Amino acid sequence: MLNPQNRTDHSLSERYLSVRAQTLQLTQSLTAEDMVVQPIVDVSPPKWHLAHTTWFFETFLLKPHQSGYREFHSKFEYLFNSYYESVGPRVLRHQRGFLTRPTTDEVLAYRQFVDEQMLDLIEQQGDALHVWIDLGLQHEQQHQELLLTDIKYILGTQPLKPAYSDHTIRFDQIKPAQWIFIPSGHYFIGYTGDGFCFDNETAQHRVYLDEFSIADKLVSVQDYLAFIHEDGYRRPELWLSDGWDWVQNKAIKAPLYWENLGQNWYCYTLNGFNKINMNEPVTHVSFFEADAYARWAGKRLATEFEWEAACQTIGTEEQNTAQFLEDEILHPVYSPDANGLCGSAWEWTNSAYLPYPGYQQSKGALGEYNGKFMINQMVLRGGSCATPASHFRPTYRNFFQPDKQWQFTGIRLASSEQ
Amino acid sequence: MLNPQNRTDHSLSERYLSVRAQTLQLTQSLTAEDMVVQPIVDVSPPKWHLAHTTWFFETFLLKPHQSGYREFHSKFEYLFNSYYESVGPRVLRHQRGFLTRPTTDEVLAYRQFVDEQMLDLIEQQGDALHVWIDLGLQHEQQHQELLLTDIKYILGTQPLKPAYSDHTIRFDQIKPAQWIFIPSGHYFIGYTGDGFCFDNETAQHRVYLDEFSIADKLVSVQDYLAFIHEDGYRRPELWLSDGWDWVQNKAIKAPLYWENLGQNWYCYTLNGFNKINMNEPVTHVSFFEADAYARWAGKRLATEFEWEAACQTIGTEEQNTAQFLEDEILHPVYSPDANGLCGSAWEWTNSAYLPYPGYQQSKGALGEYNGKFMINQMVLRGGSCATPASHFRPTYRNFFQPDKQWQFTGIRLASSEQ
Amino acid sequence: MLNPQNRTDHSLSERYLSVRAQTLQLTQSLTAEDMVVQPIVDVSPPKWHLAHTTWFFETFLLKPHQSGYREFHSKFEYLFNSYYESVGPRVLRHQRGFLTRPTTDEVLAYRQFVDEQMLDLIEQQGDALHVWIDLGLQHEQQHQELLLTDIKYILGTQPLKPAYSDHTIRFDQIKPAQWIFIPSGHYFIGYTGDGFCFDNETAQHRVYLDEFSIADKLVSVQDYLAFIHEDGYRRPELWLSDGWDWVQNKAIKAPLYWENLGQNWYCYTLNGFNKINMNEPVTHVSFFEADAYARWAGKRLATEFEWEAACQTIGTEEQNTAQFLEDEILHPVYSPDANGLCGSAWEWTNSAYLPYPGYQQSKGALGEYNGKFMINQMVLRGGSCATPASHFRPTYRNFFQPDKQWQFTGIRLASSEQ
Amino acid sequence: MLNPQNRTDHSLSERYLSVRAQTLQLTQSLTAEDMVVQPIVDVSPPKWHLAHTTWFFETFLLKPHQSGYREFHSKFEYLFNSYYESVGPRVLRHQRGFLTRPTTDEVLAYRQFVDEQMLDLIEQQGDALHVWIDLGLQHEQQHQELLLTDIKYILGTQPLKPAYSDHTIRFDQIKPAQWIFIPSGHYFIGYTGDGFCFDNETAQHRVYLDEFSIADKLVSVQDYLAFIHEDGYRRPELWLSDGWDWVQNKAIKAPLYWENLGQNWYCYTLNGFNKINMNEPVTHVSFFEADAYARWAGKRLATEFEWEAACQTIGTEEQNTAQFLEDEILHPVYSPDANGLCGSAWEWTNSAYLPYPGYQQSKGALGEYNGKFMINQMVLRGGSCATPASHFRPTYRNFFQPDKQWQFTGIRLASSEQ
C-alpha cells in the first residue's frame, strides 16, 4: 500500500488541494437537505463523506504528527469514524442519516480548519509523511466515487427525481463486441510499480491460467434488454440460488433505476429521468444479475486473474489496447463541470475477494482498511465514469457484496471456448 | 367535530394567519438539516409538518371550493398525504425522512401560495366554509404540538444534543399532592358546547361512576426517582405483560431522554442536556411506565370518564379548579419567544380509545380523521406545555399506543379507596 | 376468582378425574408427531398443553400443600411454566415446538404421577383446597379449548390436511336473524353468584347503557360471503387503520382456513377440507374482520356491557332466551366421541380488555392469571363449540389481540338505531 | 460427477441396500418426537431426511425410467423436494419442521415401497443407470452426515440434553503438531480418477502455488481454550468485519455446544453433556472463528488448492501419509453400533466456493446439485467423524456459509513462512 513516490512537497500540497477541492465540487449542486439523508444503509449522507474524509486526515496525520494539534471538536472522532474499531466507538452506520448536527456549514469549517493544518504539516514534514498523505488522498478519491453514487441514489429515489447536472452525459458503444483470445500460461498478478497501490494488490504472485477469450466491450443496454424480454428474471435455472432468492424477495425486474412505463423503459441518470439509451453499457446491475446474464448468454464472467492477464496481453497489442482503454477505462471522474463522456462501469468478476498469497495486513488502524472485508464480497475490476483517473489501474481490486446495485457496475463476458 | 361557530370572516382571516404564523415560528431556530430527518417512524420531519398542514388546506378547502384553483405541484398530493386512503396513494410513513425535495424553501413557497389562495377563499366563502377552515386550523394546531415533540426528539437524540431554545423553561410543583374526592353518580361525558370539537368527543352520553379520589398534582420527577431506586424497572410483578416485554426488549431503564452519568441523572430538555429537576412533573413516560408506577404506588390511573368527571366536579369548587387548571392545564403553547412556564403533560388514562355511544364517523376523507385509529391506543387527557391553548378542553381525547414516550406524557394517580 | 363452592370431596375427585380424562380424550386421534409442533407462536404443541396443565397442579397445589411431595422432574418447572414470572425462568414461548423431550409417553407418566398425588391431596385436604383445585380445573378446561384450536391449526395447515374426526359436525342456522331491543338503564355487570368465576369478572358494578338492539343470530357464512363479494377486503374505508395494514401486509382475503379453488370456496374443518357451509356462523375471523364486516353492514359490534345486559334481558323473556342459548351458547365441548352439533363461536365485542371498577388482582403467582394481560386485547363473550359447558357464563370474559383468527371467533351485530 | 464405474448389478443392489439401511440405522435411537422438529432453519427434521433421500430416487430414477411406475403419493413431490426449482414448487425450507404428516411410519412405508421398485429397476436396467443410481447413493450418504449433525443439534439444544448413544467416542491427538513443508510448483487440482466424483471437483486444472507449510494435526480443544482465555472473542482486530458483527450480534463466546459452568467448560457431545476433552480437535467452529484463531496464532488457513497439494505431497511420503490419513481422514461414519474412534472434522479453507476452470454444470434438475450454490460459501476439505468412508477423497469439496457452526468443523493451520 505504501510505496515511496518521488514527488516534491510542492506538488504534494497542490495535489492535496486539488483532491480536496474536487470533493467539494461534487456537492456543489446539492441542497442543504440533500446533504443529510441516508435512504439505504449502503448510502452515506454527502455531508458525512465530507466530514469523514477530513476525519481521516485529522486522525491519521494531524493527531499523531502535528505538534500541538488540538482537535477541531471532541465528538467528531466518534461522529465520523467509519469502521475503525481500533480508533474507538462510533455512530452506528445506519444512524448516519439522523445526524443533522454538525450542519454542512460546520463541516465545511472543519474541512477548512483541517486543510490549513494539513498544508502546514505538508510544509514541515511532507517528505517524511507523503506516503500516508497519499493514502489519505487515495481514500478521499475512493469517497469521491462513493459520494457520486450515493448522490445518485439519494436524488434518483426522490419521487421528484431531480437531475444532478444538465450536462449531456452519453457513452455510446457503436461497434459490436469482438472477442480477444488470451493464451494459457503464467501471469504475474498484483502490483509491483513505483506508484501508489493498496495493500490488497500485493503480494505480486504467479498464476497459471488456461486459455480463454474475453469481450472487448461491456454488455450494452440493448443486449441486456434481450435478457429481460426472454424472461431472464423469471427463470430460476439462470440464477445462483442466493440470486434467485434475491430476485424473488426484492421483486427485482430490471437494473436499479429502471422503470417500465407503458411500452417503454426509462431510467434515472444524473441528467434526470429519461428513456434508456440502447447503446450504453448496462450499469447498476448486481453480481447476481451479471452472473445470470452471462449464463443466459452461454458465457461466463472472467476471474479477476483473467481480467488482469487480459489487460497485460492487450497492452502489448497497440490497437486493442487503445480501444479497450478508450472505451472503458480512462474516463475522468464525473463532474458537473466536465464534458467527459461517461458510462463505463466497474466489471464484476467471478472471483471472491480474498487475500493474495503473501498478503500482509498493515499494522494498526490502517490494517483495517482492506483486509477485514475479505469475506462474502466479489471483486470488481476496471473503473467507472465516477472513478478518479488515478484509480484506473490494472491491479486495482474493488469489491462489493453480490447483491449491490447502487455502484456503476456492469458486465464483461468471457469464455473458455474457442 | 363540525359545530357552527359565530365568528366573523374578519376574525377567521386573522385566526388563519395567526395559527399559520405560529407554526412557522416553531421552526425558526432549526437548521435546514434539522428540517429533513426522521430518526424513528413516529417522528415526522419538521419540513413535512409544514407541508402536510398546507396540503390539508389545499386538499379539503381549495381543490373542492376555490373556483379555478390549480394545484401548486402535481406530486404534492402524493408527497404530503399523511394517512387518507380515500385521497389516494402516498409516500410510506417510514420514508418521509428521505424526501430532500422539495426543499424547505420550496415548502415555504407552497405555504405562501396556499395562504394567499386561502385568504381569498375566506373572503369569498368564509361564512359557508368556516367550519371546515376551523378544522384545518385545529389540525394545524395538533401538528404544532407534534412538530415540537418531533423537534425535541430530533435534537435530543443528536450526539451533540443542541438546545432548541435558551429561554429558561421551568415548571415546578412546590406543594405536595392532595387527594380530591369525587362522589359516585351520573356524569355526562363528551362535548356539547358551541365551540369546536373533534368527532371523537361526541356523542355526549351518560356514564355511571363509583366514587373515587384523584390527585391534584402530577407525579413528580422526585416521586418517579423513588420508583427507579426501588427497582421499578426490574420487577415484573409491577408491569403489564406487554409492558414487561417492552422493558426487556428495549432495555428501558428510565423515561425517554434520561441518562445516568456517574451518580446523577440528566435529561435532555428543550434547553439542552441538564440535571433532572426534582420538582417538575415526570414526562416522556409510556403508558406502560405510568401503569407500573401506579401499581408500585398502590394506586391506579383514572379512566378517561373519571378524569372528565373530576374536571366537572372540581369546576364547581372555585379554589380547586383554579389550582387544577393553573398547574396543569392552561399553559400556552411552547414557543421560543414565550415566557410561559411549562412542564405539564398529557395524562395517561386507563381507558382504551374507543368510540362513544352514538359516535358517527364523518363522511368522506375527513371520516378518516379519528375513527379509524380506535384500536390498541390509550386515551390521554389534559394537555402539555406544547399544547395550543385552544386545545385545552375537558372533553379532548388524545390517544397514543401504550409504548410511546416521545410526547410530553405524564402520570396522575387515582384510587378507589377512601 | 375464588368463591367458595358447596361441593363434597367425593364430587371433587370425580370432577378432577373427569376433567383430566376429557383433556386426554381430545388428543386421542393425534399421532406422536402431531403432539410436538408449533407452527405459529400462538399455537402450543398438544404435548405442551398436557404437561402445562399438569404443571399447574404440581406448582400451585402439590408443592405448597402436599406434605413430602417430591417433584416429578426437576426441570419441568422450567419447561412447562407458561408465563408466571414469579415462579421463575421458563422456555421462551416460541421455542415450545422444539422440545422433543420429554416425549408424549413421559408426559403421560407425569400426568399419571400428578393425578395420583392429587387424588391423595383431595382426599386429605379437599375441603380446604377446593377453591384452588377448582381453579386448576377451570384452567385445564381453558386449555381444552386451546388444545382443540391448536390441533385444528396444526392439522389444518398441513399440506395433507388430515381430518381430526369423522363425526359429522354441523351447526346450521336456518331462520333469519331477528333484532332484539334492549332498553336504556342501569345494568349490573360482573359476577356475584355462588359458583366459580375468574377475578376479571369482578367487581360487579353498575353501568348505564343507552338503548340498543342486538341480533339473535351470528353472522352466517352466506352473509360474510356477500362482504367478500362486495370487495370487503379491498376497501380501506371499511377498516380500522391497523386492520387495513394487517390485511395488506398479510394478504388476508378471507377467514382463516378458507381457500378459493376455481369457482368455489372451501375451508378446513375438523372433518377435513370441504366446501363451505352457507348456513353456519362464520368463524375464524379476527376482530379487524368483525369490525369491518359490521361497518360494511351499517351496524356495529356490541360492547361487552351491552352483550351482558342483553343476556340478562333476554333471560327474562323465556322464548328468546331459549333460542339464544340453544343456538349459540350451551354446546358442550367438542369431542371426537360427542354427537354434539357445533359451530357457534366466541363473539368479538367492541370493548377493550380492561379491569372493572374495584378489580383486585390476586396475590402471588395467581395474580398473573388475568390482570397482566389487560392491554391491547379485545373482549370476546359467549363461547364456542370448543368451550367446555361450565365455561358458558354470561359474565365470562375471553380476550385476544385484534388480529387473531385461530380461535373459533365470530360476529354478532348490534345497532343504536331503532 | 458421472464417471463410469465398473461394478456389477449385483454389487449395485447390495450397495443400494447397504446405504439405505445405514441411513435408517442412524435414526434408531430417536423417539418419534425427535423425528419432527427443526429448531433452526439449517437443520432438517430427521423424518424429512428419510423422505427426501427417497424422493430423490423416485424423482430421478423411478419416474423417468421405471415403466408403469405410479408415484407413492401425489403430494410427496411437493413435500420432499429440497431445492430443485426445475422439479416444481416445494414446502419452504423453514416450514419443514411443521410437517407432522406423513408420520415417520408412513415415511418408512414410502422408503420400503421405493426400495422395492428400485431393486426391480436395478435388476432390469442397473447397467444403464448405475451412474445415476450411484449419484443417488452419494446423495444419500451426504444426507447421512447431515442427519447426524441435525440430530446432534436437535438433541443438544434440548434443555434435557439427552445422549444419542452410550458408546464411548473419543478422538485424542496425543502428539504435538508438526509442520510439513510443501514446495512451490504446479499442482493438478480436481478429480480425474475412475470412481465417482461430484461435478464441482472438475475440471482438473493446473494451479501454481508458492511454497508453504501446513500442520499435520488439527487445532485441539486445549489450543483453542488458550485463544478464549486470551480474550479471542473480545478483540476485534482478530476478526473479519462480518465475523466481528456475528460475534457481537449473536453474543458468541465459544464453539457451539460449549457452556461455561462455574470454573469449567462443558460441551454437548453425542454421548451427552460432559466436560470438554482437551486432547480432541476443536469442532463446531465457524469459518469466522477458524480465521480469527489462525490470525491470533500468527498463522493462516490453507487455500483449498494448498490443502489438496499437501494431500498429494504427503501421499508420496509413506510415513506422513499414514499419519495424516490415520488421524484425520479415514474414519467410518459415526454409528451407534460402530466402535470407530471419531472426532476429526471438516477443515475450513480460505477459499471461496467457486467453479473450477472448465466446470460444466449438468443439464436438467441435477445441474442444480452443486453449481447454484457457488456464492458466499467457503470450501471445507477432509471429512469428519460423521462422513461416510467413501466420501473421504482428496478432491472432495464441501461448502458452508462462514457463520455455520453446526457441522463437525475444525481448524488446520498453514503458513507461508519457513
Side-chain angles (χ1 to χ4, degrees), chain B residues 1-60:
Chain B
M1 176 162 52
L2 304 162
N3 301 295
Q5 293 174 287
N6 291 318
R7 284 163 166 161
T8 68
D9 288 355
H10 180 64
S11 74
L12 185 56
S13 303
E14 283 175 355
R15 277 189 297 124
Y16 179 88
L17 289 172
S18 160
V19 169
R20 298 281 286 169
Q22 176 66 18
T23 308
L24 282 186
Q25 193 191 13
L26 287 169
T27 66
Q28 261 181 347
S29 66
L30 300 188
T31 67
E33 290 84 353
D34 299 329
M35 300 291 279
V36 181
V37 299
Q38 181 179 31
I40 53 171
V41 72
D42 301 308
V43 164
S44 293
K47 180 160 72 77
W48 186 90
H49 284 293
L50 296 185
H52 166 68
T53 48
T54 305
W55 168 93
F56 193 96
F57 285 109
E58 187 181 48
T59 301
F60 297 119

Side-chain angles (χ1 to χ4, degrees), chain B residues 332-387:
Chain B
V333 61
Y334 178 79
S335 139
D337 294 336
N339 292 314
L341 290 181
C342 84
S344 75
W346 286 98
E347 305 172 20
W348 288 108
T349 71
N350 202 25
S351 293
Y353 181 48
L354 291 168
Y356 284 170
Y359 169 69
Q360 294 293 333
Q361 199 165 309
S362 303
K363 298 294 178 199
L366 290 172
E368 299 188 46
Y369 201 95
N370 277 308
K372 74 179 183 181
F373 302 110
M374 289 175 173
I375 189 71
N376 284 0
Q377 312 217 36
M378 299 304 281
V379 173
L380 301 102
R381 292 300 194 101
S384 82
C385 61
T387 310

